[in-house]
Amino acid sequence: MQRAANTSRFLIDFSSGWQSSDQESAVSHSGLLHNIVVSRLARTANSRQAFNNLAQRLIRFAEHAYSLRDLNALKDVSQILISLPIADAQQIGQYYQAIVIKRKGRTYEAQSLLEAVANNRPLVYRARAIQALGALYHDKGQLTEALSFHLEAVRAASDGAGCDLLAMLMAHLEISHVLSDLGDHQGALAILENLLPLIHSVTKRNPLYFYLYHNELAIEFAELGRIAEAEAACAIALASPFAPAYPEWSETRDEIAARRQSVSSLTVAVQKAEADASQQVESERNSAPSHTFALNWFVCGKTLFQRTEVQIAIPAVIAHCSKNQIILERFGETIKPRAPPVTYP
């Protein structure tokens, strides 16, 4: 649903959650960011700890800008991080710079930057860089390579020296995405359902992922014909404060509604077919002349039996399969591609 061809849904970072309102304003005003940097450096020009504290604050700015899809703010913050005299901050700045460059369509340049981050410290951003590389391969339609990168990202994120629950979550979400694109929606949903403990841990500090997760559930529920569950999950995503920045969630809702309409239309058609068959059988029974009853019953017995068989078969199918599955089997409908909730508008 609303999944653009060859586009990753989870090339995103939001590891520190929303900050205070003054910080939210800052990510949209590069001048204010510059003033913060200058004032901090002026007060503590020779303090390594001051540089580290400044780097951490700028990283939070970068994460927040990314979560709100503020590409200009992300570019500004990444450049400042790269300019700091701290190796780790420079590499983190390269990671965010790669995301900005990738969004501008310069894929190979972005890939080069991400590979540099993936092959160096800090370990936390190494896992995220590997996951982002997997997303790039997904964009190219190379699903096997993408899956390999995401599995490696899970291993890197699980490293005891740099355990990163968010990177682990992002990689698992991407693995689910790959399975979904391969048509294994049951497998994709199973992965999502198994992520619940990780979702609970990550979203304590990163609320965005609670809503992203429910949007993904809505997609897979709808793909499997579980319309009521899809509607409930989508409603949770749309109730979030992030929804205005993710218009594709509204498109998910609209396509689920279209799927429900298709289900209703098929139900009406099946019920009408049942009623027509019943009326025709009754009409044939009533129109048979009484003086030829025995002969006509014998001649028409096969027809009567066949109609009765149809009457029994349709309710049996409905009893063992959902009406949504009948739609998929009879009309071959699939949910249309959906633009990822993690790319910038």
Side-chain angles (χ1 to χ4, degrees), residues 57-126:
R57 188 174 183 187
L58 290 170
I59 290 168
R60 289 196 295 270
F61 277 132
E63 293 165 347
H64 188 60
Y66 198 3
S67 72
L68 296 179
R69 294 177 163 177
D70 190 340
L71 192 63
N72 291 330
L74 186 62
K75 176 183 176 181
D76 292 336
V77 178
S78 67
Q79 290 174 342
I80 297 172
L81 283 167
I82 291 172
S83 70
L84 293 179
I86 303 174
D88 287 358
Q90 292 170 2
Q91 291 175 13
I92 292 171
Q94 287 180 337
Y95 168 80
Y96 288 116
Q97 187 179 64
I99 302 305
V100 173
I101 291 172
K102 187 266 182 186
R103 179 62 183 88
K104 293 182 177 180
R106 291 147 56 188
T107 303
Y108 292 104
E109 187 177 349
Q111 181 173 335
S112 178
L113 281 173
L114 289 170
E115 287 173 348
V117 176
N119 291 326
N120 294 285
R121 295 174 57 104
L123 293 176
V124 169
Y125 276 74
R126 177 176 181 271

Side-chain angles (χ1 to χ4, degrees), residues 227 259-275 314 318 321-327 330-331:
I227 301 301
R259 176 59 64 86
R260 176 172 284 285
Q261 181 62 38
S262 297
V263 172
S264 300
S265 298
L266 181 61
T267 301
V268 170
V270 170
Q271 291 174 343
K272 185 177 185 302
E274 291 179 349
I314 292 176
I318 294 175
C321 303
S322 70
K323 294 182 179 65
N324 306 320
Q325 291 290 358
I326 295 174
I327 292 176
R330 293 197 177 191
F331 299 103

Side-chain angles (χ1 to χ4, degrees), residues 8 33 93 115 125 147 177 211 232 260 263 276 278 299 312 332:
S8 167
L33 269 178
E115 287 173 348
Y125 276 74
L147 186 60
H177 186 192
Y211 304 107
R260 176 172 284 285
V263 172
D276 290 346
S278 177
V299 172
I312 295 172

Side-chain angles (χ1 to χ4, degrees), residues 236-269:
I236 292 174
L238 289 174
S240 79
F242 297 95
Y246 294 84
E248 59 270 25
W249 296 356
S250 296
E251 296 177 21
T252 298
R253 175 200 58 203
D254 295 341
E255 293 191 4
I256 293 172
R259 176 59 64 86
R260 176 172 284 285
Q261 181 62 38
S262 297
V263 172
S264 300
S265 298
L266 181 61
T267 301
V268 170

